[in-house]
Structure formats: structure tokens, C-alpha cells
Amino acid sequence: MGRQFIVEADGGSRGNPGPAGYGAVVIDAESGEVLAEAAEYIGVATNNVAEYKGLVAGLTAARQLDPDASVAVRMDSKLVVEQMSGRWQIKHPDMKPLAARARSAFPVSRVTYEWIPRAENKHADRLANEAMDAGKRGEQWSPSLSTAQLDAQDARAARSLTGGDAAAGTGLGRSLGTSEPEPEPESEPKTEDAPQLPATAVAAPADLGTPATFVLLRHGETALTPEKRFSGSGGSDPELSAAGRRQAEAVAAALAARGTVQDIVSSPLRRCRETAETVAARVGLDVHIEEGLRETDFGAWEGLTFAEARERYPDELTAWLGSEQAAPPGGESFEQVTERVSAARDKLLARYAGRTVLLVTHVTPVKTLVRLALGAPPESLFRMELSAASVSAIAYYADGNASLRLLNDTSHLR
């Protein structure tokens, strides 16, 4: 039988959504020894996304230490604890893939979940704040500079000496730039015998290996593109225009020069297949089709301009602009597209772990992947510019985190 671990995890967002980070710590349940710490600044995200990513990081670290262990997860997020325990449904599309990653990070039969007050989750909370502070400086969290473990030990020692509610007066947290500690519950057990490890004994986060990198290529222009008409998967299947074919050749030359693409996956729609085949001919790869990468079905709006859709379907268009659950008449909602694209992403990540893959797709799937990587709200879809034949890139790490590397690059078209 494996060892017994405690995983404490937390995440925070300064703005919700705003600059976000997570922290996680793996503790030996018998000795109380800190075995591993993990923290990362994840860009703009919500509290819930950051908390889930902290959970994934903690479970991933625990599995790397001992895949046969039993894990007791302790978090101050009621949402995460109740959803992962199966008592609450997971309805938000951003939470579903993160919960799935948490379940796959460690065998669910050997993981239990317990809600704890925020005051008992100081170590993970401090790690998350260190990660956010590093992000504010334009850096990533470094274990060599972390004081989270010592902060947590100081807080425990102060509580044991004062009965639990006087630690706020010690100035330990304030001297390190942290927020003033909250009063602890009087019933908290004493921890005089907790091991006092030196700063040099803080375990580094596990090596996550080479990320899977998705190079996201929007297809070249069709005849509908310059007219800004709705062109999804529910209407005609237009071919590339002469301008679109030139764009495809230009991006193919640029990608061939870089020499980093190892696989090519395309939406089934003609404009994407033509773009993908142009690149494939340059780099000597086959094109694989993924149905989940097709564009939104815009239903009755297919082929219309935005102005025409507003004139003919004013109420439906207003609802669509205001809610990801609203769909064009006879079409798909953004919520449905998010579920489809998320499922395709997860399938491709499992298939192409550690590889650089060119995904040739459409406006909405690219924006959706970017939004999910950043933990941004659904309305961000309307706040991104994505040109025809533009290139974006996202790196996906083994702990479930993602990093946006590039957005709407058209330098190859100039």
C-alpha cells in the first residue's frame, strides 16, 4: 500500500477575473513533512479557475511522488470540494474540463476531499499570492525565492503559543509583505512538534516536461470573408478565394521555415482543409481531420452580414450578444461550441502530448481555446481580433495549465 499524502491547494484572482495564480503543497500525512510545492501565475482568470488549477497541480505532484498513495485534499473552496465530491453539479463550461483533469491526475478512488476554513489553508494561499506577485513583476514563481513554508510554520507556531487568536499581532506576515493574518479557530490543534525545515529544504515543483503546443491557424479568406458575412458550418462550404490561397501559401512558407510543426489537424470544412493541405505539402506531413474544430453553426444567419441579421432577427441577435447560452435560430450557442471545442482539445492533448501541432480551424474555435487558456469570461469572444490566415499559439502543460504564447500574428502576410 502506498503512502498517505495531504494536498492543500488554493487559487486567487485579483479582480475575478483578473491576474490570477495558484498554489499547492503536498504533505506527508504521518510526519507532516512538506514534500513538494507548486505555484504558477496563470494570467487573467477567475478565482474558481485558479482554485481548480491549484488542485490539478497538487494531485499531479502527489502522483509523481507516489502513484500508489492515498490523498486527502484540503481546500477552502466550497465549490471545488463539493463538485469534486460529487455533491454539486458542474454546470459552468470552464469548470468541466478542469474537473476532468483533476479526476485524471490521480485515481479518484484514492482521493478524498475536505473543506477547511481559509485560515487553515495559509501555506497554499501564500504560494498563490507569491505566484501573483511574480506575475505582476513579469516573472514566474521560483521555489528558490519562496517563503511560503516558513510563513506557514511561523503562523502555526504563533497560534500554538498564543492560543490561536493573537498571531495577527506578531507582524510575521506583515514583515514579508503579506496581508494581516486572520484569527484562527480556538479549537485548532496545537502544532508544537511540527517539523521546522530550513528554507533550503523546500521541494521544487515537479518537472512537467515538454508542453503540447497548439499552433492555431485561422483558414485563409473565402469570398465571404471581406464582406464580413456569417460563415459557419451550417450553410454553404465555401472554398478559398484567390486571396485566401495566396495567404495559405504565405503561412505555409513561414511555418516550413520555422520547422517546428510535427502534426497537422484540420476542421472538416473545405476552407480549412485547403489551407491545411497547402501547409502539409510544404512541410511533408499528413492532414488529420477533427470534427470538433468546425466553426459555429450560425443557423438562419448563415451568409448574412451583421447588419442584415440585426434587421431580420433583432431580438435573437440581442440575446446572442448577451448570453453564451443563446443561439441563432436553428444554430449553435457559444456554450455548445465551448463544450465541443473543449472535448476536441482534451482529445488532441491526449493524442499529441509533448508535440507541436498545427490546428487549422476558424474564428470561434480559436477564440474559444484562447479564452479557456486565459480563464477569460465568455464576453471576451467579442473583444478579440482574429484575421484570416493569422497564427496564434497556446502551450499546454502536464499539470493542466496553459500559456498563451501568440495571438493574431499576421507578419507572414506582409
Side-chain angles (χ1 to χ4, degrees), residues 234-249:
S236 63
D237 192 3
E239 64 182 355
L240 293 179
S241 64
R245 289 191 289 273
R246 289 193 297 271
Q247 291 169 341
E249 289 288 353

Side-chain angles (χ1 to χ4, degrees), residues 100-384:
R101 290 181 199 174
R103 285 190 288 267
S104 65
F106 207 97
V108 294
S109 61
R110 298 203 301 275
V111 181
T112 60
Y113 290 88
E114 176 190 1
W115 177 86
I116 58 174
R118 182 179 179 185
E120 294 181 23
N121 203 25
K122 289 292 188 182
H123 195 153
D125 173 75
R126 178 59 185 154
L127 287 168
N129 276 283
E130 285 183 347
M132 287 184 278
D133 290 342
K136 188 176 181 180
R137 298 190 301 268
E139 304 169 357
Q140 279 291 355
W141 176 83
S142 170
S144 64
L145 300 177
S146 176
T147 62
Q149 182 174 340
L150 294 178
D151 293 349
Q153 291 169 352
D154 286 341
R156 286 196 296 269
R159 289 197 301 269
S160 69
L161 291 171
T162 61
D165 60 354
T170 65
L172 293 171
R174 290 190 297 277
S175 69
L176 294 166
T178 63
S179 58
E180 183 171 308
E182 299 175 2
E184 303 293 346
E186 293 182 359
S187 59
E188 182 177 1
K190 307 298 185 182
T191 56
E192 290 92 335
D193 58 348
Q196 301 295 303
L197 301 181
T200 54
V202 175
D207 182 4
L208 299 177
T210 303
T213 300
F214 286 175
V215 179
L216 309 174
L217 172 60
R218 185 190 171 192
H219 61 79
E221 287 186 9
T222 71
L224 299 177
T225 308
E227 299 178 7
K228 298 187 181 300
R229 294 185 178 275
F230 285 100
S231 181
S233 57
S236 63
D237 192 3
E239 64 182 355
L240 293 179
S241 64
R245 289 191 289 273
R246 289 193 297 271
Q247 291 169 341
E249 289 288 353
V251 74
L255 291 172
R258 293 179 189 176
T260 56
V261 172
Q262 297 171 289
D263 301 276
I264 301 177
V265 180
S266 173
S267 156
L269 299 183
R270 184 175 180 179
R271 53 199 183 269
C272 286
R273 287 188 285 107
E274 290 180 346
T275 304
E277 287 161 4
T278 301
V279 177
R282 279 290 191 107
V283 300
L285 295 171
D286 295 327
V287 176
H288 304 278
I289 301 300
E290 171 53 54
E291 288 288 334
L293 295 179
R294 60 183 169 81
E295 181 59 288
T296 307
D297 182 346
F298 291 112
W301 301 345
E302 293 280 357
L304 301 181
T305 65
F306 187 87
E308 290 168 343
R310 181 176 289 283
E311 180 181 354
R312 300 180 196 182
Y313 302 93
D315 294 339
E316 293 88 343
L317 187 65
T318 298
W320 179 71
L321 292 172
S323 172
E324 64 173 333
Q325 298 176 341
E332 285 182 294
S333 68
F334 283 142
E335 183 176 65
Q336 292 170 314
V337 174
T338 298
E339 291 180 0
R340 167 165 58 80
V341 171
S342 296
R345 174 202 59 196
D346 292 345
K347 180 167 64 174
L348 294 172
L349 285 174
R351 183 184 303 165
Y352 298 109
R355 296 178 68 81
T356 298
V357 187
L358 178 69
L359 305 189
V360 186
T361 181
H362 309 263
V363 170
T364 310
V366 173
K367 288 184 176 182
T368 298
L369 289 168
V370 170
R371 178 179 82 79
L372 294 174
L374 295 177
E379 56 266 27
S380 64
L381 293 176
F382 297 109
R383 299 174 185 171
M384 294 183 225

